[in-house]
Amino acid sequence: MPTTQLPNTASLRPDFIWGVSTSSFQIEGATQEDGRGLSVWDIYCRTGEIKNHDTGDVACDHYHRYREDVGLMKALGVQAYRFSVAWPRVLPLGRGSANEAGLSFYDRLTDELLAAGIEPWLCLYHWDLPQALEERGGWLNRESAVWFTDYASLIAARFGDRVKRVATFNEPSMFSLFSRSLGKRDSRSEDKLHRMIHNVNLAHGAAVDVLRANVINASIGCIHNRQPCRPSSASEADAAAAARLDVYWNAAFPDPQCRGEYPLSMRAAIEPHMQPSDLTRICRPLDWFGLNHYSPVYVKARADSMLGYDFGDKPASLPLTPIGWPIDPDAFSRTLQEVHARYGLPICVLENGYGDSGQPDQTGAVIDPGRIEFLKAYINAMNEAASSGVDVRGYFVWSLLDNFEWDSGYSIRFGLTYVDYASLRRTPKSSFGWYAGLIRGMQR
Ligand code: PNW
């Protein structure tokens, strides 16, 4: 691969961390095995709303093929791997007795990673809430903070000797804004949304305390996806809708967690759910800000929808990925600067990537120049932010493998590795070789 194909990384720290990310429900499969309980996503997959009626039952079969997958990471040369624990695998009912077989899967995975010299970054929650807890109100129940802390202490006690990097939540704004438990998302669901936001923030703060107390040398953060919300037209109504959504998407969680206050425009709506000292309990010291970033989001006004918005047209001038997400590396660089200025924490980019539906060619190779171009442009943008003083410590590609892309099922592929879902065979794409080359070139 010619070096002109590589991004400029001159402004990144010498100890910069290169990694890849995945999540439990999207790759593990084995949903009925070894005593795992049901998650809300197992239930959604039975509603028929997922593209092609796909389910997570087999996914990438990572539960059985984790050794091979750690081998892929070793070939990539990544220093770190971000994964999530499936809460219902270790606590089938969400609370109460732990499932030893589920815990021992994450033991095997952790030990395999450490033996390969790859640092495990563990995320406690990547959307697969135990269904038993959903039936008790899920995140709409203020008690969820207790359930989550008990789960966090189980994980801390079991893995804290080997796993130091822990994230509480992945993208709380996504799983709250798009939660099925809000019901039909119209203006009547707004009160539930505010309650959920506050409960998740409380769970975050309480879990940070438990992790801090039980994991020696813990390095703790929360993972937020900051995507600038922009109006899809010049109309005032669209501008107002975009500004409103921006607060919920980008500030509703990091502001109270890192600054101890809700954004001004949300305070009156949160107030009914607020109890004395809640903000102190939410705002606990963190070691880093986990940032997921893909693209800006274009928004239009829509009456009688939750928060009065809908997704709108993207400007014709912006190039799009094959799944229609705008390619705008400058927005990434600006996002990094905003996070740095607003929260002042070291930043770890824990997701960035490119979705397509690329298939092998006649020779069996998976050639994905679009993904390489995308990653190169975004890493250049990150380097630019670093050169202007942004403290960015790591970059993780979403994702190691093609996987279950939520409502889109297996139709959208984000992997550096192609997965044939019939044979479950893994084939590194050309972007895999490119990323490996980049990491190898950085080792000094
Ligand atoms: C993330 N957006 O979600 C999730 O953390 C992953 O599980 C997921 O597979 C990945 O992105 C790719 O979709 C997002 O609309 C969903 O900007 C939507 C957006 C961003 C992130």
Side-chain angles (χ1 to χ4, degrees):
M1 190 68 59
T3 49
T4 50
Q5 280 273 69
L6 291 178
N8 182 1
T9 51
S11 296
L12 303 179
R13 301 160 57 99
D15 59 352
F16 195 81
I17 301 165
W18 298 97
V20 282
S21 294
T22 65
S23 91
S24 45
F25 191 77
Q26 294 180 273
I27 65 166
E28 286 180 0
T31 55
Q32 323 268 337
E33 238 167 287
D34 291 344
R36 177 186 177 278
L38 288 174
S39 78
V40 292
W41 273 94
D42 296 291
I43 305 298
Y44 298 151
C45 288
R46 296 177 187 169
T47 62
E49 286 168 50
I50 310 292
K51 182 136 186 185
N52 300 324
H53 295 266
D54 287 338
T55 73
D57 289 351
V58 177
C60 306
D61 195 35
H62 172 75
Y63 189 75
H64 299 112
R65 293 166 200 253
Y66 69 92
R67 268 201 195 91
E68 179 182 354
D69 294 337
V70 173
L72 287 167
M73 294 177 224
K74 220 175 158 178
L76 259 181
V78 289
Q79 291 107 330
Y81 171 55
R82 172 192 155 208
F83 65 100
S84 74
V85 171
W87 187 348
R89 199 180 282 292
V90 300
L91 286 164
L93 296 176
R95 43 184 213 153
S97 23
N99 176 29
E100 177 55 34
L103 287 165
S104 68
F105 166 67
Y106 297 106
D107 271 333
R108 295 194 294 279
L109 173 62
T110 300
D111 293 343
E112 190 76 15
L113 287 165
L114 292 174
I118 298 166
E119 191 188 8
W121 287 48
L122 185 157
C123 178
L124 289 171
Y125 187 80
H126 201 123
W127 311 354
D128 40 1
L129 184 75
Q131 174 63 15
L133 298 181
E134 179 69 9
E135 282 159 18
R136 307 180 88 91
W139 299 113
L140 290 169
N141 187 336
R142 198 176 152 108
E143 232 189 292
S144 55
V146 179
W147 308 333
F148 190 63
T149 357
D150 288 349
Y151 163 51
S153 33
L154 172 71
I155 297 299
R158 179 73 173 227
F159 305 105
D161 58 335
R162 289 156 292 160
V163 180
K164 302 298 175 185
R165 303 276 198 165
V166 185
T168 52
F169 286 99
N170 176 67
E171 300 187 353
S173 68
M174 289 296 95
F175 75 76
S176 54
L177 281 169
F178 301 114
S179 169
R180 267 96 165 161
S181 35
L182 299 178
K184 191 169 168 285
R185 285 190 290 270
D186 58 24
S187 49
R188 283 165 302 179
S189 46
E190 285 174 11
D191 184 58
K192 280 192 198 163
L193 173 68
H194 291 105
R195 192 190 320 167
M196 183 178 291
I197 288 171
H198 192 57
N199 288 342
V200 170
N201 276 323
L202 285 167
H204 160 83
V208 172
D209 283 349
V210 159
L211 294 168
R212 197 69 80 193
N214 293 291
V215 179
I216 299 163
N217 293 327
S219 177
I220 305 170
C222 185
I223 306 167
H224 303 285
N225 67 320
R226 194 178 177 93
Q227 325 284 140
C229 298
R230 299 175 177 167
S232 61
S233 83
S235 85
E236 251 172 61
D238 288 356
R244 197 160 48 240
L245 180 62
D246 197 75
V247 169
Y248 287 83
W249 195 298
N250 295 314
F253 295 92
D255 273 23
Q257 292 176 9
C258 308
R259 294 163 64 93
E261 59 187 19
Y262 278 98
L264 205 52
S265 62
M266 286 180 64
R267 284 182 202 166
I270 294 284
E271 191 49 42
H273 309 293
M274 185 75 82
Q275 293 181 14
S277 75
D278 275 4
L279 283 171
T280 320
R281 296 169 58 192
I282 291 169
C283 183
R284 316 307 296 161
L286 295 172
D287 300 294
W288 39 268
F289 186 106
L291 173 68
N292 294 352
H293 178 91
Y294 290 87
S295 69
V297 173
Y298 287 86
V299 178
K300 64 180 181 192
R302 180 172 150 192
D304 202 41
S305 62
M306 189 180 78
L307 305 176
Y309 81 95
D310 200 351
F311 294 107
D313 292 332
K314 299 141 198 166
S317 57
L318 273 183
L320 304 177
T321 68
I323 61 165
W325 292 13
I327 302 176
D328 187 351
D330 287 345
F332 182 38
S333 172
R334 243 171 296 132
T335 295
L336 284 159
Q337 290 172 12
E338 287 165 13
V339 170
H340 176 69
R342 191 166 179 81
Y343 303 111
L345 286 166
I347 302 170
C348 300
V349 178
L350 293 180
E351 282 184 33
N352 175 235
Y354 174 96
D356 63 17
S357 50
Q359 294 292 329
D361 65 17
Q362 283 105 325
T363 71
V366 186
I367 310 296
D368 57 344
R371 180 169 287 105
I372 294 175
E373 278 309 310
F374 179 95
L375 296 175
K376 180 185 162 198
Y378 274 72
I379 293 169
N380 271 330
M382 173 174 70
N383 183 69
E384 199 182 293
S387 75
S388 73
V390 174
D391 183 5
V392 53
R393 304 284 178 97
Y395 175 91
F396 291 52
V397 173
W398 183 269
S399 180
L400 171 68
L401 302 169
D402 292 340
N403 60 51
F404 178 79
E405 180 54 26
W406 306 116
D407 290 4
S408 305
Y410 299 99
S411 68
I412 288 179
R413 297 172 176 272
F414 272 90
L416 296 171
T417 308
Y418 177 86
V419 176
D420 175 333
Y421 291 110
S423 66
L424 295 166
R425 229 186 94 189
R426 280 99 162 112
T427 306
K429 303 178 187 178
S430 45
S431 56
F432 182 109
W434 176 87
Y435 193 48
L438 166 69
I439 297 170
R440 218 177 301 118
M442 292 286 294
Q443 246 107 58
R444 43 199 129 196

